[in-house]
Amino acid sequence: MLTKNRDPDSIGLMKTKTTGSILALCFFGAALCFADDPQMSTSKPNESKSKVTARTEKVKPTYISLVQFTDKGMQGAKQTTQRVAAWAAKVQSMGVTIKQMYWTLGQYDQVCIFEAPDDETAASVLLAADMLGNIRTQTMRAFTASEMEQILSRVP
């Protein structure tokens, strides 16, 4: 916020420091996320790991949502972490798991990485979230290296 009593140079320095701190936290969070991810190992790149358990259950599909606050969402921005926690608890009963939520700078306000049993479930929980009026989402289906190997094996 720019006020009459603040030096514009100090504000620029504060923004630079804040941006650097946020980026460092994001990179640190991503590093922790990947460190725990069995898909991100030091194995050979051509070695595909099966994500199928002993009972031959497949791992749920992963989705990445790019989220933008609406005007309503921006007015209630102070409650964003509580809204995400409530949404995560609500959709858990539908088999949806929030793997990671990031609040971001730039065109999008959040990036949500989640798993759902199928595309229809993912679409329904996203539609329900969008209908509350706080956010608009763009969602992509993400594939692991193992899943991509299976897709590539089907290419004629």
Side-chain angles (χ1 to χ4, degrees), residues 52-71:
V52 179
T53 64
R55 292 182 283 160
T56 66
E57 293 177 23
K58 285 189 169 184
V59 170
K60 295 183 214 172
T62 300
Y63 302 86
I64 301 171
S65 287
L66 304 175
V67 181
Q68 291 180 313
F69 291 147
T70 61
D71 289 341

Side-chain angles (χ1 to χ4, degrees), residues 15 19-20 22 31 34 38 45 49 69 90 103 117 119 121 143 154:
K15 285 182 179 179
T19 302
I22 291 170
F34 289 138
K49 292 184 177 183
F69 291 147
K90 184 176 184 177
W103 283 261
D119 291 346
T121 302
F143 298 95
R154 296 179 183 177

Side-chain angles (χ1 to χ4, degrees), residues 112-132:
C112 180
I113 303 167
F114 68 99
E115 293 177 345
D118 50 53
D119 291 346
E120 294 80 9
T121 302
S124 68
V125 298
L126 288 166
L127 183 59
D130 285 357
M131 288 172 61
L132 295 173

Side-chain angles (χ1 to χ4, degrees), residues 37-41 43-53 57-60 62 141-154:
D37 188 352
Q39 290 294 318
M40 300 298 293
S41 69
S43 62
K44 297 176 187 170
N46 293 333
E47 232 178 72
S48 65
K49 292 184 177 183
S50 174
K51 293 287 275 185
V52 179
T53 64
E57 293 177 23
K58 285 189 169 184
V59 170
K60 295 183 214 172
T62 300
R141 168 69 163 89
F143 298 95
T144 64
S146 176
E147 291 170 319
M148 195 62 202
E149 288 292 333
Q150 290 177 1
I151 291 167
L152 292 171
S153 73
R154 296 179 183 177

Side-chain angles (χ1 to χ4, degrees), residues 3 8-9 17 21 27 36 46 58-59 66-67 72 76-77 81 98 105 114 126 128 135 149 153:
T3 63
D9 289 339
K17 287 181 178 180
S21 297
F27 287 124
D36 291 339
N46 293 333
K58 285 189 169 184
V59 170
L66 304 175
V67 181
K72 178 183 174 184
T81 56
I98 309 303
L105 300 173
F114 68 99
L126 288 166
I135 60 170
E149 288 292 333
S153 73

Side-chain angles (χ1 to χ4, degrees), residues 18-19 22-23 25-27 30 64-69 74 77 80-81 84 100-113 136:
T18 302
T19 302
I22 291 170
L23 288 173
L25 286 172
C26 287
F27 287 124
I64 301 171
S65 287
L66 304 175
V67 181
Q68 291 180 313
F69 291 147
M74 192 56 91
T80 184
T81 56
V84 167
Q100 196 61 254
M101 176 66 81
Y102 295 102
W103 283 261
T104 57
L105 300 173
Q107 182 178 357
Y108 298 98
D109 300 303
Q110 296 172 314
V111 175
C112 180
I113 303 167
R136 293 290 171 251

